[in-house]
Amino acid sequence: MNVLVLLAVILFILMTLIGGSKGVRSFISLFLNFGVILLTVIFMTNPNANPIILTMIACTVISCINLFYINEVNSKTTTAFLSTIITIAGLLIFINIITGMAMIQGFGEEEIEELGMFSLFIGVDFVKIGASVIIMSTIGAITDVAISITSPMREIFNHHPLISRKDLFISGLNIGKDILGSNTNTLFFAFFGGYMGLLIWFKDLSYSVGEIANSKVFSAEMITIFCAGIGIALIIPIASWINSYYLVGKRKN
């Protein structure tokens, strides 16, 4: 049996046993998200397409899959979705500016040998492509933090229906403080785990610390981590405020 198939079967069994029907939907969502990303990449190869708009559409669809398909449509997923879209929209503009200023678009000199046989005149805006890559790397973490805040906030409101909007908002912020550090570190270690070979290569090439820091490959990944961290930090107050506003407003109505 193919190793990939075997691992997929093991994952499916575990997610089904532990998560039940929600675990099955979570497993299916992996393939749905992969399909969305694949279609986005295909459309991005069209020189007339705008990668920023495509990325925003893809992030919206992925958010719907991760929130509404897995957790169904309810108040916590609705507010989490709205918070995610607001954060992604603002972050996308910011990342597009940062990508152009940092000039991390395209390929690094370490990748020139592999690209030597291909034509570089493909008519695609690599600045926007670079911004799209970064934002697509953050969407999973942002939706995860959003639902991790709105869900316990709803539980707090259900147990204390007379809680004020300010206290509920502060509770959301306190929940976010515990999430912020762990999620940021997860992104950081995911980078070093995935690029351990690159770091070893830098060592074999006798790169200095300055050369490593200024390498386009390294800089692009570090900027991705920082932008993802900014997105995680932003989603906390946004999700907390929107959810507290909705829940308390619903009680008053």
Side-chain angles (χ1 to χ4, degrees):
M1 181 181 293
N2 187 287
V3 175
L4 295 179
V5 175
L6 177 61
L7 292 176
V9 170
I10 294 174
L11 178 62
F12 175 76
I13 293 173
L14 290 176
M15 294 181 73
T16 303
L17 292 176
I18 297 174
S21 59
K22 184 175 290 188
V24 174
R25 291 197 298 269
S26 299
F27 181 81
I28 296 174
S29 69
L30 295 175
F31 297 93
L32 295 177
N33 288 331
F34 176 76
V36 173
I37 294 175
L38 183 61
L39 287 175
T40 304
V41 172
I42 293 174
F43 284 119
M44 279 185 182
T45 57
N46 184 355
N48 297 320
N50 189 327
I52 301 299
I53 296 177
L54 289 175
T55 301
M56 195 65 204
I57 295 173
C59 288
T60 302
V61 176
I62 291 173
S63 299
C64 289
I65 293 172
N66 292 343
L67 295 173
F68 297 135
Y69 176 68
I70 296 177
N71 299 290
E72 301 178 347
V73 179
N74 49 55
S75 63
K76 64 181 180 182
T77 54
T78 303
T79 52
F81 174 77
L82 181 59
S83 305
T84 299
I85 296 303
I86 293 174
T87 304
I88 288 294
L91 198 61
L92 194 55
I93 297 173
F94 173 75
I95 290 175
N96 190 38
I97 296 173
I98 291 297
T99 303
M101 293 176 59
M103 294 187 293
I104 59 172
Q105 69 275 6
F107 301 95
E109 60 182 9
E110 295 83 7
E111 302 164 301
I112 294 298
E113 184 177 349
E114 289 80 3
L115 297 172
M117 66 184 74
F118 301 106
S119 172
L120 300 180
F121 299 99
I122 58 176
V124 175
D125 190 340
F126 270 93
V127 175
K128 293 181 179 179
I129 292 292
S132 299
V133 170
I134 294 176
I135 201 68
M136 292 294 284
S137 302
T138 65
I139 181 65
I142 290 175
T143 54
D144 178 58
V145 172
I147 193 65
S148 297
I149 291 176
T150 59
S151 181
M153 283 183 68
R154 192 177 74 166
E155 290 299 317
I156 293 173
F157 181 79
N158 289 338
H159 286 85
H160 304 280
L162 298 180
I163 189 172
S164 66
R165 180 173 292 159
K166 180 180 178 181
D167 291 338
L168 187 59
F169 172 72
I170 293 175
S171 297
L173 291 180
N174 290 332
I175 294 169
K177 290 177 183 178
D178 296 331
I179 300 172
L180 180 61
S182 60
N183 275 269
T184 305
N185 279 297
T186 298
L187 295 171
F188 178 78
F189 288 115
F191 160 72
F192 279 102
Y195 280 81
M196 187 64 70
L198 176 65
L199 297 176
I200 295 174
W201 189 26
F202 282 155
K203 178 182 179 299
D204 291 339
L205 294 175
S206 300
Y207 273 34
S208 65
V209 176
E211 288 173 328
I212 294 175
N214 287 284
S215 170
K216 181 179 287 190
V217 178
F218 184 83
S219 299
E221 292 303 321
M222 290 305 298
I223 289 176
T224 300
I225 293 173
F226 290 143
C227 290
I230 291 172
I232 292 173
L234 286 176
I235 192 69
I236 292 173
I238 293 175
S240 299
W241 185 84
I242 291 177
N243 203 32
S244 61
Y245 187 87
Y246 171 80
L247 291 174
V248 175
K250 182 180 179 181
R251 179 188 65 194
K252 291 180 180 181
N253 293 334

